[in-house]
Every structure is written in C-alpha cells, then in structure tokens.
C-alpha cells in the first residue's frame, strides 16, 4: 500500500497494489502546477485509490481533458485525472509519504521543457505524449 498527503495533512490518500506507470512531465501545465522544471507523476488504478479528508479536496478543471485535485486549506496539488484514461489517477510523487517502489522511467513533453533546464539522465525522452501500451 502507498500513502500520501498534502502539506497541511488535511487531505490524505492511500492506494493498494503496484503503481502502473511513473514519469517526469515537462509540459508547461505541469511546470506551472509544480512551480518547477517538471512534475514527477505516479499512475495508479483509480479503483485502488482512497481519499481521506475529502471535504478539503478541491477539483480544478485545468483543461477540457485534465482535472487537478488539490487541498483547499494549503493549496497543495495532489493528483490529476485525464478523460482519455478514466480508470487511472496520477499522483504527484512529492506528496508520497514513503517509497512507492517505483521510479519514473521516462520524460514526456520534452519538446516544451523549460529552456533553462537540462535533462542529464539516460531515461527515454518523448517530445509529446507517450501512448499507453
């Protein structure tokens, strides 16, 4: 089981089973959302995810396809859902309480990465969205 929470602890989550994917996203939306050069995301089946403190969980429609879940109290972003993959929830890895046992395996949207950031690892890079297997 994996667990995580927002900065203030008002919203917590846990998930069962092994995450199905993990990546570093360099798109402009994720850069603004995270306030950093990229956002590390962990994909879990939505059916395996449970929220606590849901009254503090706010959902923001970031785009027509993408919703972001964040804490109303501290503002910390926690998760995203994409209408193209309704059975998956993407958790920001910085909110995890422990080691999920998974590390990001690739970079996506490198075509729009921050110009001041250089990628210095040997992971695969995709300029656009990587199609799911």
């Amino acid at each position: 089981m994996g667990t995580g929470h927002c900065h203030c602890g008002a919203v917590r989550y846990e998930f069962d089973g092994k995450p199905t994917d993990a990546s570093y996203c360099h798109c402009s939306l994720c850069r603004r959302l995270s306030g950093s050069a990229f956002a590390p995301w962990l994909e879990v089946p939505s059916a395996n995810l449970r929220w606590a403190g849901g009254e503090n969980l706010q959902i923001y429609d970031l785009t027509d396809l993408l919703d972001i879940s964040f804490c109303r109290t501290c503002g910390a972003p926690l998760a995203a859902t994409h209408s193209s993959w309704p059975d998956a929830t993407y958790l920001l890895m910085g909110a995890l309480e422990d080691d999920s046992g998974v590390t990001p395996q690739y970079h996506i949207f490198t075509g729009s990465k921050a110009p001041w950031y250089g990628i210095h690892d040997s992971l695969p890079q995709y300029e656009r969205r990587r199609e799911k297997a």
Side-chain angles (χ1 to χ4, degrees):
M1 178 182 351
T3 58
H5 62 84
C6 64
H7 175 72
C8 71
V11 179
R12 297 182 169 277
Y13 62 80
E14 62 183 22
F15 60 89
D16 296 321
K18 185 177 178 181
T20 51
D21 195 21
S23 65
Y24 296 112
C25 183
H26 296 265
C27 78
S28 61
L29 295 174
C30 285
R31 287 189 284 116
R32 286 184 184 92
L33 181 67
S34 68
S36 186
F38 55 85
W41 293 100
L42 183 71
E43 179 187 277
V44 299
S46 298
N48 294 2
L49 180 64
R50 290 169 303 285
W51 293 97
E55 63 278 1
N56 288 314
L57 190 66
Q58 178 72 42
I59 297 175
Y60 173 65
D61 295 330
L62 190 62
T63 70
D64 290 345
L65 301 173
L66 189 64
D67 292 337
I68 300 298
S69 299
F70 63 93
C71 176
R72 287 179 205 232
T73 304
C74 67
L78 295 165
T81 54
H82 196 286
S83 62
S84 296
W85 301 291
D87 296 331
T89 299
Y90 302 88
L91 301 172
L92 279 163
M93 293 181 73
L96 292 171
E97 291 179 337
D98 51 15
D99 182 6
S100 65
V102 176
T103 58
Q105 296 301 303
Y106 57 92
H107 297 266
I108 57 171
F109 293 105
T110 58
S112 62
K113 75 173 189 59
W116 46 265
Y117 179 76
I119 299 172
H120 300 290
D121 60 41
S122 60
L123 295 176
Q125 298 180 28
Y126 301 93
E127 286 195 12
R128 294 180 185 83
R129 181 178 66 208
R130 177 178 174 258
E131 294 304 319
K132 295 180 94 173

Short mmCIF file of all heavy atoms in Angstrom, two decimals, residues 5-12 56 71-76:
data_model
loop_
_atom_site.label_atom_id
_atom_site.label_comp_id
_atom_site.label_asym_id
_atom_site.label_seq_id
_atom_site.Cartn_x
_atom_site.Cartn_y
_atom_site.Cartn_z
N HIS A 5 -0.07 12.67 1.36
CA HIS A 5 -0.91 13.74 1.91
C HIS A 5 -0.43 15.09 1.41
O HIS A 5 0.69 15.24 0.92
CB HIS A 5 -0.94 13.70 3.43
CG HIS A 5 0.40 13.91 4.07
ND1 HIS A 5 0.92 15.16 4.31
CD2 HIS A 5 1.32 13.02 4.51
CE1 HIS A 5 2.12 15.02 4.88
NE2 HIS A 5 2.37 13.74 5.01
N CYS A 6 -1.31 16.07 1.60
CA CYS A 6 -0.97 17.45 1.25
C CYS A 6 -0.02 18.01 2.30
O CYS A 6 0.29 17.36 3.30
CB CYS A 6 -2.25 18.29 1.16
SG CYS A 6 -3.12 18.46 2.72
N HIS A 7 0.39 19.24 2.12
CA HIS A 7 1.33 19.88 3.04
C HIS A 7 0.79 19.98 4.47
O HIS A 7 1.48 19.66 5.43
CB HIS A 7 1.69 21.28 2.53
CG HIS A 7 2.56 22.05 3.45
ND1 HIS A 7 3.88 21.74 3.64
CD2 HIS A 7 2.28 23.10 4.26
CE1 HIS A 7 4.40 22.57 4.54
NE2 HIS A 7 3.44 23.41 4.92
N CYS A 8 -0.47 20.38 4.61
CA CYS A 8 -1.03 20.58 5.96
C CYS A 8 -1.60 19.30 6.57
O CYS A 8 -1.91 19.26 7.75
CB CYS A 8 -2.08 21.68 5.95
SG CYS A 8 -3.64 21.24 5.14
N GLY A 9 -1.77 18.25 5.76
CA GLY A 9 -2.28 16.98 6.27
C GLY A 9 -3.80 16.88 6.27
O GLY A 9 -4.34 15.86 6.69
N ALA A 10 -4.51 17.90 5.80
CA ALA A 10 -5.97 17.86 5.79
C ALA A 10 -6.51 16.84 4.79
O ALA A 10 -7.60 16.30 4.99
CB ALA A 10 -6.54 19.25 5.48
N VAL A 11 -5.76 16.59 3.72
CA VAL A 11 -6.17 15.60 2.72
C VAL A 11 -5.10 14.51 2.67
O VAL A 11 -3.91 14.78 2.54
CB VAL A 11 -6.33 16.23 1.32
CG1 VAL A 11 -6.73 15.17 0.30
CG2 VAL A 11 -7.36 17.35 1.35
N ARG A 12 -5.57 13.28 2.79
CA ARG A 12 -4.68 12.11 2.73
C ARG A 12 -5.24 11.11 1.74
O ARG A 12 -6.43 11.11 1.46
CB ARG A 12 -4.57 11.46 4.11
CG ARG A 12 -3.95 12.37 5.14
CD ARG A 12 -3.80 11.67 6.51
NE ARG A 12 -2.99 12.49 7.38
CZ ARG A 12 -1.65 12.51 7.39
NH1 ARG A 12 -0.99 11.71 6.59
NH2 ARG A 12 -0.99 13.30 8.20
N ASN A 56 -11.93 18.66 2.18
CA ASN A 56 -10.90 19.65 1.86
C ASN A 56 -10.33 19.47 0.47
O ASN A 56 -9.46 20.23 0.06
CB ASN A 56 -9.76 19.57 2.88
CG ASN A 56 -10.18 20.11 4.22
OD1 ASN A 56 -10.80 21.16 4.31
ND2 ASN A 56 -9.89 19.38 5.27
N CYS A 71 -5.61 20.50 -2.20
CA CYS A 71 -6.16 20.78 -0.87
C CYS A 71 -6.67 22.22 -0.81
O CYS A 71 -5.94 23.14 -1.15
CB CYS A 71 -5.09 20.56 0.20
SG CYS A 71 -5.65 21.00 1.87
N ARG A 72 -7.91 22.38 -0.36
CA ARG A 72 -8.49 23.73 -0.21
C ARG A 72 -7.78 24.52 0.87
O ARG A 72 -7.77 25.75 0.85
CB ARG A 72 -9.95 23.64 0.21
CG ARG A 72 -10.89 23.19 -0.79
CD ARG A 72 -12.28 23.14 -0.14
NE ARG A 72 -13.08 22.20 -0.87
CZ ARG A 72 -14.27 22.47 -1.34
NH1 ARG A 72 -14.81 23.63 -1.12
NH2 ARG A 72 -14.92 21.57 -2.01
N THR A 73 -7.24 23.83 1.87
CA THR A 73 -6.64 24.52 3.01
C THR A 73 -5.25 25.06 2.68
O THR A 73 -4.99 26.25 2.84
CB THR A 73 -6.57 23.58 4.23
OG1 THR A 73 -7.89 23.09 4.50
CG2 THR A 73 -6.01 24.29 5.45
N CYS A 74 -4.35 24.19 2.22
CA CYS A 74 -2.97 24.63 1.97
C CYS A 74 -2.67 24.86 0.49
O CYS A 74 -1.63 25.43 0.16
CB CYS A 74 -1.97 23.64 2.56
SG CYS A 74 -1.96 22.01 1.77
N GLY A 75 -3.55 24.43 -0.40
CA GLY A 75 -3.36 24.65 -1.82
C GLY A 75 -2.45 23.66 -2.52
O GLY A 75 -2.23 23.78 -3.72
N ALA A 76 -1.95 22.67 -1.80
CA ALA A 76 -1.02 21.72 -2.41
C ALA A 76 -1.72 20.85 -3.46
O ALA A 76 -2.74 20.24 -3.17
CB ALA A 76 -0.41 20.82 -1.34
#
